């Protein structure tokens, strides 16, 4: 069922790799590898015991993510044929591409993975609310916040590692979109345009 829902994202081998790598990251304490052979062996044993459970948890997460992304993709494709709401459609398509891809689990930091379904629901709610009176104003706020990250990324060679502050900003941006377009889903962090601006200043200072 997951492979079928993954159709259009990548092939099944990419799905398996993504789940296994993310499960290994969650199962093994990579930040504290141990200073002795005995400590390392103990960490390895503990991680192996958790590996299957972590993979199962990620499979459950994908059971939420994949139907949501397929539904949103269908909405956007249908609208494209009608040439409707081009600006909103373009922004949501770009957001969807950032959230869902061949390495969606491994490309998403562990603390943010559990929130992927909520970000997709928020995107879907934005689409449902398209054309409402304040949409243009909210969309402008989201674009301003996203433009900082887009500009920074455009000025770096492909594959450049992201500093921690930039990674943090990237996911706070998703929380900001939730706060703008899907308040009922609530945010994991307190976020506003002013807080995002300060987070970006902090990211650039530390970088």
């Amino acid at each position: 069922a997951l492979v079928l829902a993954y159709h259009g994202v990548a092939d099944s081998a990419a799905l398996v790799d993504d789940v296994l790598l993310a499960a290994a990251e969650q199962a093994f304490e990579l930040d504290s590898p141990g200073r002795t052979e005995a400590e390392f062996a103990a960490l390895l044993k503990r991680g192996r015991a958790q590996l299957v459970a972590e993979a199962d948890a990620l499979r459950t997460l994908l059971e939420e993510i994949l139907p949501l992304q397929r539904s949103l993709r269908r909405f956007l494709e249908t609208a494209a044929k009608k040439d409707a709401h081009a600006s909103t459609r373009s922004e949501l398509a770009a957001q969807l591409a950032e959230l869902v891809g061949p390495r969606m689990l491994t490309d998403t930091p562990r603390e943010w993975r559990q929130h992927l379904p909520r970000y997709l629901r928020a995107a879907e709610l934005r689409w449902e609310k398209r054309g409402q009176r304040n949409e243009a104003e909210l969309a402008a706020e989201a674009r301003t916040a996203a433009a900082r990250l887009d500009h920074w990324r455009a000025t770096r060679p492909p594959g450049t590692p992201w500093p921690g502050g930039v990674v943090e900003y990237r996911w706070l941006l998703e929380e900001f979109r939730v706060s703008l377009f899907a308040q009922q889903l609530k945010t994991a962090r307190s976020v506003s345009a002013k807080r995002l601006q300060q987070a970006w200043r902090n990211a650039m200072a530390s970088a």
Side-chain angles (χ1 to χ4, degrees), residues 44-198:
L44 188 62
K45 182 178 180 181
R46 200 154 56 236
R48 281 175 172 164
Q50 292 297 318
L51 187 58
V52 172
E54 294 291 355
D56 280 343
L58 290 171
R59 176 182 52 78
T60 300
L61 182 63
L62 285 170
E63 287 174 350
E64 288 189 79
I65 292 171
L66 294 178
L68 285 167
Q69 69 87 22
R70 288 196 75 184
S71 174
L72 181 57
R73 200 181 300 275
R74 279 198 299 269
F75 289 148
L76 298 179
E77 288 172 354
T78 300
K81 293 175 183 177
K82 298 177 181 177
D83 196 27
H85 303 281
S87 177
T88 302
R89 189 179 73 243
S90 175
E91 289 174 21
L92 285 174
Q95 182 185 0
L96 180 59
E98 291 286 339
L99 291 172
V100 178
R103 292 173 57 87
M104 73 184 88
L105 297 177
T106 47
D107 283 347
T108 304
R110 180 175 180 173
E111 68 173 299
W112 297 105
R113 280 178 198 144
Q114 62 180 315
H115 301 298
L116 288 172
R118 183 164 52 86
Y119 300 148
L120 290 167
R121 289 191 186 97
E124 193 170 74
L125 283 170
R126 179 184 177 185
W127 180 249
E128 290 174 2
K129 295 177 181 179
R130 65 195 182 280
Q132 290 190 356
R133 184 163 51 88
N134 63 342
E135 182 196 9
E137 180 183 346
L138 298 178
E141 287 192 64
R143 278 195 299 272
T144 297
R148 300 185 187 105
L149 183 60
D150 292 341
H151 176 73
W152 181 88
R153 184 160 43 184
T155 59
R156 300 298 187 280
T160 299
W162 289 23
V166 176
V167 173
E168 177 84 354
Y169 183 89
R170 185 264 173 278
W171 295 102
L172 286 176
L173 175 60
E174 293 299 337
E175 294 293 334
F176 186 54
R177 286 168 171 153
V178 173
S179 76
L180 292 176
F181 302 108
Q183 297 91 340
Q184 63 267 47
L185 298 181
K186 303 190 184 308
T187 58
R189 303 266 191 95
S190 295
V191 65
S192 65
K194 185 177 289 187
R195 285 175 185 266
L196 266 184
Q197 193 171 30
Q198 186 58 51

